[in-house]
Amino acid sequence: RIVIPGHGEPFRDVAAALDRAYRRVEAFEADEMRIARHAAKVILTFNLLHRRRMPVADLPAYIDRIGIYRDLNARVLRIPPADLASMLVTELTRAGAVRVEAGDLVPA
């Protein structure tokens, strides 16, 4: 009668939730760039939860040095590491997942 998810609010309308989930998966399947951006954001967010903070100025070099980011960028996104870093900070800040505090990126 009620679904209590691992995160988010409990809900009752399972059919609507499944419909949203299927549409999201279809959108990811249709757009390689979208899934690559999403993967990079999720990986960075979890990394920040572990590290607690990272200087924003260090993020481009970090992206260029760490294999998962470097390879994802080289194969799919194909943008300079500084642009990818800027995109990640902007999109994660807008989503409320991170914030910039005294020049550091921290989980929100």
Side-chain angles (χ1 to χ4, degrees), residues 36-50:
R37 286 190 320 270
H38 180 73
K41 289 185 286 189
V42 169
I43 294 165
L44 181 58
T45 301
F46 278 101
N47 183 34
L48 283 171
L49 288 170
H50 172 72

Side-chain angles (χ1 to χ4, degrees), residues 12-27:
R12 294 179 188 279
D13 192 348
V14 174
L18 287 173
D19 185 52
R20 284 189 304 276
Y22 288 134
R23 283 196 317 268
R24 187 169 186 204
V25 168
E26 288 170 0

Side-chain angles (χ1 to χ4, degrees), residues 73-90:
N73 193 21
R75 291 184 181 143
V76 181
L77 299 170
R78 297 181 187 104
I79 59 177
D83 292 349
L84 178 53
S86 178
M87 180 209 69
L88 291 170
V89 172
T90 299

Side-chain angles (χ1 to χ4, degrees), residues 32-101:
E32 181 179 64
M33 298 287 279
R34 181 177 179 172
I35 191 68
R37 286 190 320 270
H38 180 73
K41 289 185 286 189
V42 169
I43 294 165
L44 181 58
T45 301
F46 278 101
N47 183 34
L48 283 171
L49 288 170
H50 172 72
R51 293 174 61 132
R52 305 258 186 212
R53 62 189 325 110
M54 174 187 296
V56 173
D58 292 353
L59 193 53
Y62 177 79
I63 286 170
D64 202 34
R65 186 177 73 250
I66 302 300
I68 186 106
Y69 301 105
R70 185 186 58 243
D71 295 349
L72 186 64
N73 193 21
R75 291 184 181 143
V76 181
L77 299 170
R78 297 181 187 104
I79 59 177
D83 292 349
L84 178 53
S86 178
M87 180 209 69
L88 291 170
V89 172
T90 299
E91 292 186 13
L92 288 171
T93 301
R94 187 178 330 140
V98 302
R99 67 182 184 279
V100 176
E101 184 177 281

